[in-house]
Amino acid sequence: MPAIVGVAQVITLGSSSVFHIGDVYKIMPFSSAKTFSGAGSFNTGDSLQLQNNVSSTNTHDSDVYDQGIALNA
């Protein structure tokens, strides 16, 4: 069902952002990224004390492609 939307002010959008108001059939990303991180990488806060005595991050990716974005236009 269609919607009537009032004023929408967009200050900024990132390079692969999606701004959506109302009905939509399909939303697809135009970029992708892969992040490798070890133990304790994304911890935030005050006075953190971490003990990662033996830690390794496996970055080997044998399948080369994870999710294709070639036809997302």
Side-chain angles (χ1 to χ4, degrees):
M1 173 178 239
I4 298 173
V5 179
V7 177
Q9 180 181 11
V10 178
I11 303 300
T12 183
L13 289 175
S15 61
S16 63
S17 298
V18 174
F19 179 71
H20 166 227
I21 294 179
D23 298 339
V24 66
Y25 171 71
K26 185 187 275 187
I27 296 177
M28 296 184 294
F30 285 98
S31 69
S32 65
K34 180 183 283 190
T35 303
F36 295 105
S37 61
S41 295
F42 298 114
N43 289 333
T44 58
D46 297 331
S47 303
L48 289 175
Q49 294 181 357
L50 304 174
Q51 293 182 355
N52 296 326
N53 296 333
V54 179
S55 176
S56 65
T57 301
N58 182 7
T59 60
H60 176 71
D61 188 9
S62 61
D63 61 351
V64 181
Y65 296 108
D66 291 322
Q67 178 178 358
I69 60 169
L71 300 176
N72 291 347

